[in-house]
Amino acid sequence: MSKQIGEFSFKAITFILTPGQAGTVQMQVTFEGSATGFGLTLGTMNVTCTGPDTGQWTWCAANYPDCGQGVSCSGQGQFRDVGSKCWHTRGLISISDGCTCLVDGSFDLNARTWGGRLLERE
């Protein structure tokens, strides 16, 4: 089990839906919120369905801590439907300062939130 190094809590601001391959729908979601050690975070998640209950996501964000210089980050991962319009997300994020971390979270469509844990990379 990876050691938890922080948490993140984001609110979805916009959703852009476009047609994908073979009748799928591509989704782009912009978020704002905060993450432990990163302060204010503004980011965009791109979602691609790869099956009826699964898919992949990519992430690109800028972070503005209360003290110190801001950093950017990007990454990717997978999601799976866990019911009630909620998806479990897991992936790897690379930070512009050279660090990487695992993201383990939950996207709740009803609440329009994405939150979870930041974990030390094993």
Side-chain angles (χ1 to χ4, degrees), residues 3 10 17 23 28 34 37 39 47 53 58 61-63 65 74 77 82 85 87-89 96 98 100 103 108 122:
K3 176 183 168 188
F10 302 146
L17 300 136
Q28 184 179 68
S34 62
V47 177
D53 299 325
T58 61
N63 304 279
S74 62
V82 292
K85 299 179 191 136
W87 294 268
H88 177 254
T89 60
S96 62
T100 58
V103 174
D108 183 330
E122 297 176 326

Side-chain angles (χ1 to χ4, degrees), residues 36-85:
T36 305
F38 296 98
L40 172 65
T41 301
L42 305 173
T44 303
M45 173 189 272
N46 289 291
V47 177
T48 303
C49 292
T50 57
D53 299 325
T54 61
Q56 298 177 339
W57 54 267
T58 61
W59 176 249
C60 182
N63 304 279
Y64 304 94
D66 293 334
C67 298
Q69 187 172 343
V71 295
S72 60
C73 62
S74 62
Q76 61 187 13
Q78 297 80 37
F79 68 88
R80 64 179 168 79
D81 187 348
V82 292
S84 299
K85 299 179 191 136

